[in-house]
Amino acid sequence: MLASVFVAGCAEEKPWNEDIEKKTADAIRGKYRIESMQWHGAPVDLDDDGLADENIMREFEGLEDIKNYGEDVWGSDIALSTALYSWDGDNWAGEGIGSRNSLYVHLPVQRIDPWRYEQYVQGYDSLRLHGSFQNFESYYHVSWDEIIFADTISSGTFADDMDVMEIKSGGFQCKLVGYGELELTVNYLFHDFLSKELVRDRMTIRLKRIQYQ
C-alpha cells in the first residue's frame, strides 16, 4: 500500500520547465524551405519578360541571379531559412530578446538599388534587376508551452536596397501554424516592369521544415 501511495505521489509531480520548453522548441527548430508565397496585390512582372503573373515564386525564378541557383531554387542552401534554439535557462537575455533563439529567414528580393533606380527614373540609365536571396534575422522566445515571436527584424548585406528596407520597416508577423510549419506576413516592394511603377503590398509566406536540428 505504501509503495502504491509513493508511485501515485511521484506521478503527480510537476514536470521541469526545461523539459516542457525543449519539447515546445522541437516544434520550430530546424531548417525550412519556402513552400508558397501569396502576393496580396495585382499580378506583376518582376523578370521583365512582358508578362504579369500572380505566381510570385515563378516570377522570382526568372531573375538572373536566382535562376542560377539551380532547378530546385527553393531547396538550395542559399534559400533555406533556419530557426535556432539553445536552452540557457533564461531565454530573455539582453533587453527582453532571447538572443540565442534566432530566426533567420532567407527571402527573395529584386534588389532595387536607390541610386540606380533614381538614374532610371530620370532617364539616365536602363533598369536591370538580377534578384537575390536576402537574409533577415528575427527572434523568438519559448515560454513554457508557448512560442512568442518578436515583431522586429534586421538584415545584413544590401540593407540599403529599397525592397529590403520595405521588408525591414514593415516588421515581421510570424506564427507557428503546424509542427515544423511557419507562416510569415511581411511588406514587399516591387518594380513592376509592365506598368513601370513601384508597387507595395503584403506577402504571406509559408515555410515548411525539411531538416530537424
Side-chain angles (χ1 to χ4, degrees), residues 11-64:
E12 292 175 0
E13 288 182 0
K14 293 183 180 180
W16 292 97
N17 286 6
E18 180 177 354
D19 294 336
I20 294 296
E21 294 192 11
K22 283 183 176 180
K23 183 177 180 180
T24 302
D26 282 348
I28 183 174
R29 61 193 183 106
K31 290 188 177 182
Y32 291 76
R33 64 175 294 165
I34 295 177
E35 288 286 291
S36 66
M37 300 182 71
Q38 180 188 356
W39 167 241
H40 296 281
V44 288
D45 177 13
L46 306 185
D47 55 5
D48 198 17
D49 66 353
L51 299 173
D53 196 334
E54 61 182 12
N55 187 327
I56 293 297
M57 294 177 70
R58 187 160 55 209
E59 283 295 313
F60 274 120
E61 288 169 4
L63 297 177
E64 184 176 339

Side-chain angles (χ1 to χ4, degrees), residues 136-182:
F136 296 90
E137 182 181 7
S138 187
Y139 304 96
Y140 70 94
H141 169 54
V142 180
S143 177
W144 190 248
D145 60 352
E146 182 181 7
I147 295 177
I148 305 169
F149 293 94
D151 59 0
T152 56
I153 53 177
S154 60
S155 64
T157 55
F158 315 131
D160 294 331
D161 286 348
M162 296 165 66
D163 41 356
V164 173
M165 288 296 296
E166 185 78 12
I167 294 174
K168 285 177 59 180
S169 63
F172 242 20
Q173 291 181 8
C174 183
K175 58 184 178 180
L176 188 69
V177 294
Y179 189 78
E181 296 183 358
L182 296 173

Side-chain angles (χ1 to χ4, degrees), residues 120-140:
Y120 162 74
V121 170
Q122 296 182 14
Y124 297 135
D125 200 359
S126 59
L127 186 64
R128 298 184 62 192
L129 300 174
H130 299 285
S132 73
F133 281 91
Q134 171 67 24
N135 178 55
F136 296 90
E137 182 181 7
S138 187
Y139 304 96
Y140 70 94

Side-chain angles (χ1 to χ4, degrees), residues 78-125:
I78 193 69
L80 294 184
S81 301
T82 307
L84 299 178
Y85 174 78
S86 176
W87 169 262
D88 60 7
D90 181 15
N91 291 336
W92 286 110
E95 300 183 1
I97 294 179
S99 58
R100 291 197 175 187
N101 295 337
S102 296
L103 181 63
Y104 296 96
V105 181
H106 286 189
L107 299 179
V109 292
Q110 284 178 300
R111 287 210 56 204
I112 308 174
D113 178 88
W115 184 84
R116 292 185 181 277
Y117 197 79
E118 182 62 26
Q119 296 297 301
Y120 162 74
V121 170
Q122 296 182 14
Y124 297 135
D125 200 359

